[in-house]
Amino acid sequence: MKDIIYFDQDGINSILAQLNAGYIEQHSTTLTTGQANVVSHSDEAGTKAGVNAIFQAAVNMRAVDNAGETLSETSADLMNKMIGDYALDLLLDDETLDWSHSIESTSEGDLVDITTNITLLDFNVVAKLTDPDSVQAFINSSSDDFKEYKKLKEKKDKKKEDVARLKKLESSVELADIWNEWSQYGRVGSIAFPNSIITSFPGGISFSDDNKFRLNKAQMFMLNQSKRKARIIGQVTQIQENVRYDGSFPAIDLSDYPLVPSYLFEILLGGSALLQTDDRIIKALAIYFE
């Protein structure tokens, strides 16, 4: 059974539509959930019944209960998930598609089906958690402590009491520096990758819409401590041939300005080892555990 944590229904439906030329053959299916039914019909011809069930349900879905009223938002969401999960099975079972199971051997445009360890990162969460006002309770230091620490650090002839005081201040001041660095990192990242979750894995990285995850943020980031391997279904959009961690980019003229954001992304992601040379950038269609 699949434990799906990310699902791009539009992306999967798009591939299925292209595989089957977008035609729909005569088909009628009824899905029942308790007191409500979802019914779809079609009178056209041309494609597989399974694909028809997905597309007609998405296009002409009518939800009725015993009183003739529409399904609740929760029930409709359940129906969409059921239809989407079935679409994923159809995609994986299609024998005309050439899936690559080794990320290192892929080229741009290749479809990938890999099983690997993953790490999830949301810069918006990092920015909020490391906001100075939010973390003050965890850091027992003030601006006066910083000034005193700096003064003692620069003092040449330290007395015994100076050394003792410096040692006492050191841990809290260093912790504050770390939090401040994380805070700046989070703020910049939240601007560069708004509403995105970064999925990092050996040999690649994926930028995914946060509203397509089926987990809340707490569940999502606890997965970073899990030893389970996830299965990633997607497509290679780019191979990162070089990562310039130190910002050593070529001279930029006016025609190169559209490349500036990608240069900044290299610094931001490369500096934290999230992006490395020869990494594949993946457009994820689905991420799940089995």
Side-chain angles (χ1 to χ4, degrees):
M1 182 178 293
K2 299 181 182 67
D3 178 12
I4 299 176
I5 64 172
Y6 176 83
F7 190 82
D8 181 0
Q9 187 160 345
D10 289 341
I12 290 176
N13 285 349
S14 175
I15 293 177
L16 288 174
Q18 294 175 64
L19 289 173
N20 295 279
Y23 295 116
I24 299 173
E25 71 178 357
Q26 184 174 355
H27 185 72
S28 176
T29 184
T30 301
L31 303 177
T32 305
T33 57
Q35 298 179 345
N37 295 327
V38 174
V39 184
S40 64
H41 298 281
S42 174
D43 295 324
E44 299 179 21
T47 194
K48 300 176 182 178
V51 177
N52 169 70
I54 295 168
F55 287 106
Q56 279 308 141
V59 175
N60 296 326
M61 186 166 63
R62 292 184 294 123
V64 294
D65 60 16
N66 293 335
E69 298 176 353
T70 58
L71 282 172
S72 67
E73 183 177 348
T74 300
S75 297
D77 182 62
L78 175 61
M79 287 294 95
N80 285 330
K81 282 188 172 67
M82 291 173 61
I83 294 167
D85 293 355
Y86 179 51
L88 176 59
D89 288 337
L90 286 178
L91 187 69
L92 294 175
D93 291 341
D94 195 301
E95 297 179 355
T96 65
L97 293 175
D98 184 17
W99 296 97
S100 177
H101 303 286
S102 173
I103 191 69
E104 294 84 3
S105 62
T106 56
S107 301
E108 292 182 357
D110 286 355
L111 294 172
V112 295
D113 176 1
I114 57 174
T115 301
T116 182
N117 293 111
I118 61 173
T119 300
L120 302 175
L121 172 64
D122 184 346
F123 279 108
N124 294 284
V125 172
V126 174
K128 291 177 182 178
L129 288 177
T130 57
D131 181 85
D133 294 334
S134 301
V135 303
Q136 192 59 47
F138 301 99
I139 302 175
N140 187 25
S141 63
S142 63
S143 58
D144 290 337
D145 291 335
F146 280 100
K147 293 177 182 178
E148 183 182 0
Y149 175 80
K150 185 176 181 181
K151 185 176 180 180
L152 287 173
K153 193 77 172 177
E154 295 174 350
K155 189 175 181 180
K156 293 183 178 180
D157 299 321
K158 297 182 181 67
K159 298 179 180 180
K160 185 176 181 180
E161 55 267 28
D162 293 333
V163 175
R165 178 60 177 165
L166 187 63
K167 186 175 181 180
K168 185 176 181 180
L169 290 170
E170 194 169 34
S171 59
S172 61
V173 170
E174 287 181 351
L175 179 60
D177 284 339
I178 293 173
W179 278 102
N180 182 59
E181 183 177 341
W182 284 354
S183 180
Q184 294 179 22
Y185 184 64
R187 288 198 302 271
V188 174
S190 64
I191 296 172
F193 308 102
N195 306 316
S196 296
I197 305 295
I198 294 176
T199 304
S200 176
F201 53 91
I205 193 171
S206 175
F207 306 98
S208 308
D209 295 338
D210 59 359
N211 61 2
K212 294 180 181 178
F213 275 87
R214 295 185 178 181
L215 304 173
N216 62 41
K217 294 300 175 68
Q219 294 171 324
M220 193 181 301
F221 298 117
M222 288 305 293
L223 283 177
N224 289 336
Q225 300 180 35
S226 174
K227 295 181 180 179
R228 288 193 299 171
K229 291 187 176 183
R231 189 171 174 181
I232 301 177
I233 309 299
Q235 186 172 27
V236 178
T237 60
Q238 180 184 333
I239 297 177
Q240 189 67 38
E241 295 183 352
N242 187 26
V243 178
R244 287 155 284 210
Y245 309 96
D246 57 358
S248 57
F249 298 102
I252 299 175
D253 57 33
L254 189 60
S255 63
D256 293 324
Y257 277 119
L259 299 176
V260 171
S262 65
Y263 292 160
L264 297 177
F265 292 168
E266 281 188 39
I267 297 174
L268 188 63
L269 298 176
S272 57
L274 286 170
L275 182 66
Q276 301 183 38
T277 300
D278 291 330
D279 271 1
R280 270 58 176 175
I281 298 177
I282 305 295
K283 176 188 177 184
L285 297 171
I287 303 174
Y288 59 92
F289 297 101
E290 292 183 304

